[in-house]
Amino acid sequence: MPDITSEQVAHLADLARIALTPDEIEKLTGELAHIVESVAKVAEVATDDVPATSHPVPLGNVTRPDVVGQTLTQEQALSGAPDSDGERFRVTAILGEEQ
């Protein structure tokens, strides 16, 4: 596996239009080399007999069935509203204003 060079990091930073100082390039060179080594280790053990996973533990459905419960009447819901027309909430119109 080829080593990551500071010239490659500088080139990638240039392509991405990221301004890096020489110190940042050196630091990123080491970090990227470590990442590449880590991916290579995973690739060594990721054989055809090892199933791919997205989570270390199985996921379960955490929802519950919908159950109709007690709800507010229209009058109860509107009783705390600052303004209503008797059937629905009344709010200030915002359409057409500058955004």
Side-chain angles (χ1 to χ4, degrees):
M1 176 181 351
D3 290 331
I4 302 293
T5 65
S6 42
E7 290 78 22
Q8 290 172 319
V9 173
H11 178 67
L12 290 173
D14 187 47
L15 290 175
R17 298 194 189 328
I18 300 172
L20 296 176
T21 66
D23 289 339
E24 291 170 325
I25 290 172
E26 288 304 314
K27 180 179 178 189
L28 285 174
T29 300
E31 290 176 357
L32 288 173
H34 182 70
I35 290 169
V36 170
E37 288 173 15
S38 298
V39 170
K41 287 179 186 175
V42 171
E44 288 175 10
V45 296
T47 59
D48 292 336
D49 60 334
V50 177
T53 60
S54 61
H55 297 285
V57 294
L59 296 178
N61 193 349
V62 295
T63 60
R64 61 172 173 73
D66 287 337
V67 178
V68 178
Q70 188 174 6
T71 61
L72 297 175
T73 65
Q74 188 174 22
E75 294 80 25
Q76 290 172 322
L78 293 173
S79 68
D83 193 12
S84 71
D85 67 1
E87 294 183 358
R88 51 193 166 267
F89 297 103
R90 188 178 305 178
V91 295
T92 306
I94 59 168
L95 299 176
E97 293 183 359
E98 292 288 327
Q99 304 222 358

